[in-house]
Amino acid sequence: MDLNVFKLCSALKVLGYLMIVLVAAIVGVSYYAVIVLVWGPKLFDGGLDSVLAFFIVIVFHILLILLTWSYIAVVFQDPGSVPENWRPDTVDANLEVGSTEALTDVIVPENSASTWVPSEGIESRPVAGYCSRCHNGKPPRCHHCSVCQRCVLKMDHHCIWVVNCIGVRNYKFFLLFLVYTFLETILDTLVLLPSFINFFEEAMDHSSSPAHLAVIFLAFVLNLAFALSLLCFLVMHASLLLSNTTSVEVYEKKGSLRWKYDLGRKRNFEQVFGSKKLLWFFPLFSKADLDRTPALLGLEFPMRSDVEA
């Protein structure tokens, strides 16, 4: 019996569950430092301090709700599964008209160099693949995840922080989680900065509880570190979003003058966030967008040649 070594990657799921606990712990420490220790008590001081404290507390909770909502959505939302016994529409059409074209002419083996075949320098339609591990067809831009042990539509990567793959159906939620977490960590860093500056003075004077000082110090350092890290991720994913590229497609994209799925920044953005501007800020999709934007479902994607034609 053949041993599938990729199944060993499934052990990474255990690490993912620990990451969820870590995220909850960081949120808890930050909440205790910002709201309970520093700015919550200032709500009752009166004057300008109370107004500023009220503003900080409100913004903190709004961002916390949005990032928590986005995090839960990206954890529990299926990233996009290939329908059972899926095959491209071209095959169905050929079968309906009695074509003798074999299925293998349209669905190529998984170990092919690419999921699309160029012809004499002319951009051609993507060719569906076949996953020998899932024993099912693979739509264009679909990849097999060795951790989840299944194919994921428009897979970007497997994220251990959310114990889930990032694919076509939850990529928007993942990006919103990054944005709101970045804004929250930036806010926490700025509002804890005065307390952090006074940390050493208060520690030497013993004017504050050592435990409280330790929590403020830890919260400031963690939020600063995460803010800097998230900034790098946001820049990277913003570039991928606006060029309609996934992390696993970066290598394939290098060989082309212009990426075949790049339809312009506006349409690239709408293929991830939808066209309803009000819903851009929430981990939701409108039914209208799902009905009229096939790319949001992950089975077919318009190409640059379609738009230019």
Side-chain angles (χ1 to χ4, degrees), residues 87-145:
R87 58 188 177 186
D89 292 337
T90 52
V91 175
D92 294 332
N94 288 330
L95 292 177
E96 289 176 2
V97 299
S99 171
T100 57
E101 180 183 12
L103 183 64
T104 52
D105 291 335
V106 181
I107 299 182
V108 297
E110 185 190 33
N111 58 1
S112 297
S114 175
T115 57
W116 67 292
V117 181
S119 175
E120 298 181 358
I122 300 176
E123 186 177 36
S124 63
R125 300 302 304 170
V127 178
Y130 178 81
C131 181
S132 58
R133 282 171 277 179
C134 294
H135 304 290
N136 197 11
K138 286 177 62 176
R141 313 187 77 179
C142 175
H143 295 274
H144 186 90
C145 175

Side-chain angles (χ1 to χ4, degrees), residues 12 17 36-37 48 57 116 126 155 167 183 216 221 229 253 284 309:
L12 291 175
Y17 295 125
V36 178
L37 296 181
L48 186 60
V57 169
W116 67 292
M155 177 180 171
L183 294 176
I216 293 174
V221 172
S229 300
K253 179 184 174 184
L284 298 169

Side-chain angles (χ1 to χ4, degrees), residues 16-225:
Y17 295 125
L18 295 177
M19 291 300 184
I20 292 180
V21 176
L22 179 59
V23 170
I26 294 173
V27 171
V29 169
S30 301
Y31 190 93
Y32 188 75
V34 175
I35 303 301
V36 178
L37 296 181
V38 178
W39 290 99
K42 293 183 179 181
L43 288 171
F44 309 100
D45 289 348
L48 186 60
D49 285 345
S50 293
V51 175
L52 180 60
F54 178 78
F55 175 78
I56 290 174
V57 169
I58 292 298
V59 175
F60 179 94
H61 281 92
I62 290 175
L63 291 176
L64 180 60
I65 291 171
L66 290 172
L67 79 85
T68 303
W69 184 8
S70 300
Y71 186 70
I72 292 174
V74 74
V75 169
F76 291 102
Q77 174 65 48
D78 187 287
S81 301
V82 182
E84 189 175 356
N85 298 322
W86 178 89
R87 58 188 177 186
D89 292 337
T90 52
V91 175
D92 294 332
N94 288 330
L95 292 177
E96 289 176 2
V97 299
S99 171
T100 57
E101 180 183 12
L103 183 64
T104 52
D105 291 335
V106 181
I107 299 182
V108 297
E110 185 190 33
N111 58 1
S112 297
S114 175
T115 57
W116 67 292
V117 181
S119 175
E120 298 181 358
I122 300 176
E123 186 177 36
S124 63
R125 300 302 304 170
V127 178
Y130 178 81
C131 181
S132 58
R133 282 171 277 179
C134 294
H135 304 290
N136 197 11
K138 286 177 62 176
R141 313 187 77 179
C142 175
H143 295 274
H144 186 90
C145 175
S146 300
V147 179
C148 296
Q149 293 297 310
R150 66 188 180 110
C151 285
V152 176
L153 298 175
K154 196 186 174 185
M155 177 180 171
D156 188 86
H157 68 287
H158 183 91
C159 181
I160 60 174
W161 287 93
V162 301
V163 203
N164 200 0
C165 269
I166 308 302
V168 67
R169 297 306 300 272
N170 64 354
Y171 186 49
K172 172 187 175 181
F173 308 161
F174 174 74
L175 293 179
L176 288 176
F177 171 64
L178 289 183
V179 171
Y180 290 134
T181 304
F182 174 72
L183 294 176
E184 184 74 278
T185 53
I186 286 292
L187 175 67
D188 294 351
T189 301
L190 293 176
V191 300
L192 289 176
L193 182 59
S195 299
F196 178 78
I197 294 175
N198 296 330
F199 169 80
F200 299 101
E201 180 181 348
E202 293 179 1
M204 295 191 60
D205 295 343
H206 302 286
S207 57
S208 298
S209 167
H212 290 176
L213 290 175
V215 171
I216 293 174
F217 180 87
L218 179 62
F220 177 84
V221 172
L222 284 175
N223 279 278
L224 178 60

